[in-house]
Amino acid sequence: MSRPPRLEESLARWESAPSPERADDLLGAAEAALAGSPVAPQLWHRWLDATRRRGHLLALPDREARHRWADVAVRAVSSSGYGLAEMLAQRVASHPGRALFAGGPSPAAPRWSYAHVARRADAVAAALLDLEPEPRVAIVSENGFDSAAVDLACLLHGLLVSPLSPHLNPGELTAAFDALGVNLAVASSEESLRRLRDTARRVASPFRVVLLDEAADLAGDGEIVLGETLAAKSEASVPSTLARAPRRALRETCTVLFTSGSTGGQKGVAFSMENLVTKRFARAAALPFVGEEEVLLCYLPLYHTFGRYLEMLGMLFWGGTYVFAGNPSLDGLAAGLKEVEPTGLVSIPIRWAQLEARVRAAAGEAPTPEAEKAALAKVVGGRLRWGLSAAGYLSPQVFRFFQAHGVELCSGFGMTEATGGITMTPPGGYEEGSVGLPLPGIRVRLGEDDELEIAGPYVARYLDDPEPPEGEERWVKTGDVFREREGGHLEIVDRVKDIYKNSRGRTIAPRRVEQRFEGVPGIRRVFLAGDGRDDNVLLVVPDPDDAVLADDPAGEEARDYLRRIVAAANRDLAPYERVVDFAVLPRDFSLEAGELTPKGSYRRKAIEKAFAGVIEGLYRSRSVTLAGEGVKVEVPRWLFRDLGLLEGDLVLEGGRLVDRRRGRSAALSVRPGGDEVRVGDFAYRCAGRRVDLGLLARQPILWIGNAELASLLPVKDVWETPLTGSCAEVLRLPRDEVPEGEPPPPPEPLPSQQLAALHRLSVTALFGPPDAALEAVSRAEALLRQGDRRTAELLRRRLQALARHPDVRVRCEAYRVLLL
């Protein structure tokens, strides 16, 4: 048997003239090199860069060879100390001007090249080191370039960092901050800043708040604006500052994500650089057709495993472009797909199913294959080649549909502890009902009661776990029962962990919610349902012997009491955990019926089956209709969830829409003649006098400037929401019905600082004193000149609404601006 060629010679031959034979020779040379004398780190780095590419992976003969390559890559990463800093340096060297980040789907959105991101990350890391000698950073922010740059800065320069959901309550933030010893906390909005200020009063050790530029005008005493800190630091001083950065070993913890435990407490998962980087090579081996110049439209948050690792670090690995989607709504995603025309898409099952439905609707009732293909291009863009469905079950019909039309849609099973995916349906090898095969680099086994256990280089540890003894491997239990099919595909059978995922892939720990009702008078026990659903509902087993229910547990007084209890529990829960409705059960769960274990724990599947009819009744529709005098109001269930209300808490009374639980209200009445309906401070034209509150709350064109409405509803920034006949037009101001003087600002934070500024400007122009209104019109004119399409459309509509302003000067000035 001839000696394998030396690694450097084989690599040079591959680089000069790639071929399948040379790809196979290069893999053999790398395997031989690992078994022989040590190889210089720079040579391994060159090998890792050359062989990660699509041309090389597709040149390997089969899946087994790509798994061998992934095993070599994992060992090469470890032996050469290859991290994200080396990876980014390689991308900057090969394509410095290519965009790594795009600020949004619009062609006019800002773009940041690989070279710019590298410089920005250096500057941010240096600024953080000036603030703290050993920064321990928490990022409490929604997606955006500035927050992503902070994250990358920390990862590249060894600063401990943890992206945290801005929806965590102060108690959860406090637990995370104390566990990590956070000394710098990054915020990007009024809401996240409010939570951080509350958290500051609870933590064991103080921290400083760092505001991203979009929230600069919110800064209080002692709070730092990142942009100002960067501006004050000279570029020449950055290298010397970075020299003080900690030097973390490849296997040392560099970042932490928090995930829900089965009893609701958050568990910190500690990742090393080895975890992050080896996972990228393993995923590349599983998706060999993904290559350079990929474009992903990304809406999964960067505190989500797939959003941070597969999308952001995946684009860095592949040399592609990460496009911030803006908002995660279906309308927002659909609009972004048309603009961006991505080559790949990572999404949740409900979005894939909704996109399939849109394609079928666009193709017509009896489409030809050509019509379906054209409809697909119209809905998702003409370049989509691959996709991944993460965090939940997706119907085989949807897989087959996309695969039949040239989109290699894959699915799998994963968890935060595995740096994302554990299994994946291989391209061209989809099997219905399976979650695919184990990814390269991971080892799986079925433990006690067939619970899947995992180990491998990208399986992280829990924050409080000690390192395993020398020579022993850490195996992590997944909490799910599996069976192995003939051929190796894995199939989920049941859950061990007491958690589930909703339709949007968010993990729910039902015990976290159920524990809030323990010891409450009148309640024997409760059961949370919502697996695979949009929202959660509650089954209540009453205690009929408790006097608080007045001997009538199913009566109206008892239900009103329970409603108050559930509403109180909702206040301390994240929006995706909240209960939107509940039912009082006629009997308790029983051991004999198999609904309880001998220890009294729930057998969740048995309970869901026994009370399936009750649960389905609670999900009877996606909205609630409120009927008033001459008007019908559609209230989507998500609105109850976001407000922390139950169905029945929002009512029509005396010409107003009343939130009984929070004591807030807004005018809602039919105006004389036609389809005019007053909602809050505006009048709208609503077809058939039917008001869609979900539309009003989602579309900024409709709610901005309506102070009374914005103080009542959880308004959002879904600009892409289509304007339908249900209140699609802001008709005019009901001046005779609006109190004099400028209405107070809404008590709840608005979705962004930009929208908050536009809202204040619109309220002043529409309702402020004449002099203030004139000044607001002047500011609106300046904004119109900046050319932002969305802002311009909104401002034109508000200027048109000034046609009936009582002051002639305001009317004339608005007309002049519109005309010119």
Side-chain angles (χ1 to χ4, degrees):
M1 181 176 178
S2 61
R3 182 178 64 85
R6 291 192 307 114
L7 181 62
E8 189 167 11
E9 296 171 357
S10 183
L11 179 56
R13 282 198 295 272
W14 162 260
E15 290 172 331
S16 64
S19 70
E21 293 77 15
R22 290 184 174 184
D24 197 43
D25 288 343
L26 181 54
L27 176 57
E31 289 173 323
L34 287 172
S37 301
V39 173
Q42 289 306 315
L43 179 56
W44 275 128
H45 294 179
R46 180 179 153 201
W47 179 88
L48 288 166
D49 186 40
T51 61
R52 70 178 172 88
R53 302 169 190 266
R54 176 172 54 196
H56 173 265
L57 294 176
L58 292 178
L60 292 173
D62 51 28
R63 179 175 173 272
E64 181 185 355
R66 286 189 286 274
H67 276 241
R68 286 170 49 208
W69 168 83
D71 290 339
V72 173
V74 165
R75 295 175 64 188
V77 165
S78 297
S79 68
S80 68
Y82 183 84
L84 291 177
E86 288 74 22
M87 187 184 293
L88 178 57
Q90 288 176 339
R91 305 301 173 266
V92 171
S94 60
H95 44 73
R98 183 183 300 164
L100 172 53
F101 290 114
S106 168
R111 300 169 76 82
W112 295 275
S113 69
Y114 276 78
H116 177 92
V117 170
R119 291 193 300 271
R120 177 77 173 187
D122 287 352
V124 169
L128 297 176
L129 284 162
D130 282 341
L131 295 173
E132 288 287 345
E134 293 186 16
R136 302 177 74 83
V137 182
I139 303 173
V140 186
S141 170
E142 296 288 3
N143 280 15
F145 170 69
D146 284 339
S147 59
V150 173
D151 193 12
L152 277 177
C154 295
L155 292 173
L156 292 166
H157 293 287
L159 315 183
L160 184 70
V161 62
S162 178
L164 297 168
S165 168
H167 306 295
L168 294 178
N169 63 45
E172 292 166 324
L173 289 174
T174 299
F177 279 37
D178 286 346
L180 299 176
V182 168
N183 51 30
L184 296 174
V186 177
S188 63
S189 68
E190 184 179 356
E191 176 65 14
S192 57
L193 179 58
R194 181 180 65 80
R195 292 175 189 244
L196 286 178
R197 287 171 176 169
D198 194 348
T199 302
R201 295 191 289 269
R202 305 172 181 227
V203 291
S205 301
F207 62 86
R208 286 197 276 181
V209 172
V210 179
L211 292 169
L212 301 180
D213 288 358
E214 62 232 58
D217 59 345
L218 301 173
D221 291 342
E223 293 171 346
I224 302 149
V225 177
L226 181 62
E228 295 175 359
T229 304
L230 293 174
K233 188 171 182 64
S234 70
E235 189 175 342
S237 68
V238 169
S240 60
T241 305
L242 292 178
R244 306 199 310 263
R247 296 289 177 262
R248 294 187 184 276
L250 206 65
R251 294 185 178 178
E252 186 181 351
T253 297
C254 65
T255 186
V256 177
L257 290 181
F258 285 83
T259 184
S260 296
S262 59
T263 58
Q266 295 221 115
K267 299 171 72 174
V269 182
F271 300 90
S272 67
M273 186 60 64
E274 182 182 49
N275 297 149
L276 306 188
V277 174
T278 59
K279 184 52 174 278
R280 301 280 39 89
F281 286 91
R283 182 65 81 175
L287 293 170
F289 50 79
V290 177
E292 297 209 326
E293 299 190 53
E294 296 283 346
V295 177
L296 294 190
L297 178 64
C298 308
Y299 70 87
L300 295 176
L302 291 176
Y303 50 82
H304 185 288
T305 310
F306 277 89
R308 191 183 191 210
Y309 298 144
L310 179 55
E311 292 184 325
M312 184 176 77
L313 296 188
M315 285 300 90
L316 175 57
F317 174 88
W318 280 302
T321 300
Y322 176 110
V323 182
F324 290 96
N327 69 72
S329 71
L330 174 61
D331 291 325
L333 176 62
L337 289 170
K338 292 177 183 178
E339 288 273 15
V340 175
E341 294 195 322
T343 59
L345 177 66
V346 181
S347 192
I348 54 178
I350 189 173
R351 291 287 179 260
W352 284 109
Q354 290 166 334
L355 290 173
E356 184 222 13
R358 287 202 171 192
V359 174
R360 290 189 183 276
E365 292 186 4
T368 63
E370 293 75 17
E372 284 190 335
K373 189 170 184 179
L376 180 69
K378 180 180 178 181
V379 172
V380 303
R383 299 191 297 172
L384 192 65
R385 296 184 293 105
W386 65 277
L388 194 67
S389 179
Y393 171 81
L394 181 61
S395 165
Q397 167 194 307
V398 181
F399 281 109
R400 300 296 188 198
F401 180 82
F402 282 100
Q403 290 167 345
H405 294 89
V407 178
E408 188 60 69
L409 179 55
C410 303
S411 185
F413 168 78
M415 57 192 298
T416 302
E417 291 86 338
T419 324
I422 295 170
T423 69
M424 192 187 81
T425 55
Y430 173 71
E431 287 187 13
E432 293 186 9
S434 92
V435 293
L437 299 166
L439 287 170
I442 202 162
R443 291 177 292 284
V444 302
R445 69 186 184 191
L446 298 182
E448 186 178 357
D449 297 325
D450 289 334
E451 180 180 2
L452 187 71
E453 299 175 359
I454 58 173
Y458 49 83
V459 176
R461 67 178 182 85
Y462 294 113
L463 196 57
D464 298 328
D465 279 359
E467 288 293 335
E470 186 70 28
E472 291 187 19
E473 191 168 31
R474 180 192 303 109
W475 285 86
V476 173
K477 296 182 177 182
T478 64
D480 291 274
V481 177
F482 278 74
R483 75 177 181 88
E484 185 176 356
R485 294 179 175 181
E486 188 175 346
H489 276 247
L490 293 170
E491 179 182 347
I492 298 176
V493 177
D494 203 353
R495 281 196 179 92
V496 176
K497 289 188 296 187
D498 200 5
I499 61 174
Y500 62 75
K501 290 183 182 291
N502 66 14
S503 64
R504 285 164 174 75
R506 299 302 299 264
T507 300
I508 313 290
R511 286 296 299 146
R512 168 180 159 78
V513 179
E514 292 161 353
Q515 285 170 348
R516 281 166 162 68
F517 298 89
E518 291 178 358
V520 174
I523 296 178
R524 183 169 292 170
R525 64 176 108 232
V526 300
F527 178 89
L528 191 75
D531 192 358
R533 309 271 194 171
D534 291 352
D535 310 294
N536 303 306
V537 295
L538 199 70
L539 304 184
V540 178
V541 177
D543 184 354
D545 299 326
D546 196 303
V548 74
L549 295 186
D551 299 322
D552 186 10
E556 193 56 40
E557 286 189 18
R559 184 169 179 82
D560 187 60
Y561 165 75
L562 294 172
R563 185 186 299 280
R564 293 197 301 273
I565 297 299
V566 175
N570 271 341
R571 284 197 291 270
D572 295 326
L573 297 172
Y576 59 88
E577 295 175 310
R578 291 173 185 161
V579 174
V580 298
D581 204 358
F582 68 92
V584 179
L585 297 183
R587 68 169 178 86
D588 198 353
F589 310 138
S590 81
L591 176 65
E592 293 74 18
E595 296 158 355
L596 299 175
T597 68
K599 293 182 179 180
S601 301
Y602 292 161
R603 297 189 187 277
R604 306 199 78 89
K605 287 186 178 294
I607 292 173
E608 288 172 357
K609 183 177 180 180
F611 295 95
V614 177
I615 294 172
E616 288 302 321
L618 292 171
Y619 288 107
R620 60 193 176 278
S621 68
R622 297 178 64 85
S623 65
V624 173
T625 301
L626 307 178
E629 189 173 340
V631 65
K632 288 188 177 180
V633 181
E634 296 291 334
V635 188
R637 293 173 69 99
W638 65 259
L639 195 146
F640 291 105
R641 178 196 66 213
D642 284 10
L643 288 174
L645 302 179
L646 298 172
E647 294 179 19
D649 286 339
L650 208 58
V651 297
L652 288 175
E653 287 180 349
R656 299 189 71 79
L657 180 65
V658 179
D659 176 346
R660 288 176 168 174
R661 190 65 52 202
R662 300 184 303 154
R664 301 180 187 177
S665 69
L668 203 156
S669 59
V670 177
R671 295 178 56 75
D675 289 336
E676 292 184 34
V677 180
R678 180 188 173 184
V679 186
D681 295 331
F682 286 178
Y684 299 88
R685 177 175 286 125
C686 300
R689 298 180 178 180
R690 196 172 192 89
V691 178
D692 181 350
L693 277 192
L695 174 63
L696 294 184
R698 287 159 59 86
Q699 176 53 266
I701 284 176
L702 298 178
W703 65 258
I704 282 182
N706 191 335
E708 198 171 61
L709 182 73
S711 69
L712 178 69
L713 300 185
V715 293
K716 301 186 180 298
D717 60 346
V718 191
W719 293 91
E720 298 82 6
T721 303
L723 293 170
T724 65
S726 178
C727 302
E729 183 182 359
V730 178
L731 194 63
R732 62 180 176 82
L733 297 177
R735 291 297 313 172
D736 56 319
E737 302 173 30
V738 177
E740 290 297 323
E742 184 176 347
E748 296 297 327
L750 296 178
S752 71
Q753 292 305 110
Q754 180 192 20
L755 288 182
L758 287 172
H759 179 67
R760 290 192 296 268
L761 177 67
S762 299
V763 169
T764 302
L766 296 168
F767 300 107
D771 288 345
L774 282 169
E775 184 180 346
V777 171
S778 178
R779 295 205 308 274
E781 181 180 19
L783 288 173
L784 278 169
R785 295 181 186 278
Q786 294 177 5
D788 181 333
R789 177 180 57 81
R790 288 171 170 171
T791 300
E793 181 181 1
L794 167 71
L795 292 174
R796 279 193 293 270
R797 287 172 178 258
R798 294 301 172 267
L799 290 170
Q800 289 166 4
L802 287 172
R804 295 180 182 271
H805 195 281
D807 191 289
V808 66
R809 295 175 302 160
V810 176
R811 296 200 301 271
C812 290
E813 185 63 7
Y815 181 72
R816 182 191 67 79
V817 173
L818 283 170
L819 187 64
L820 299 179

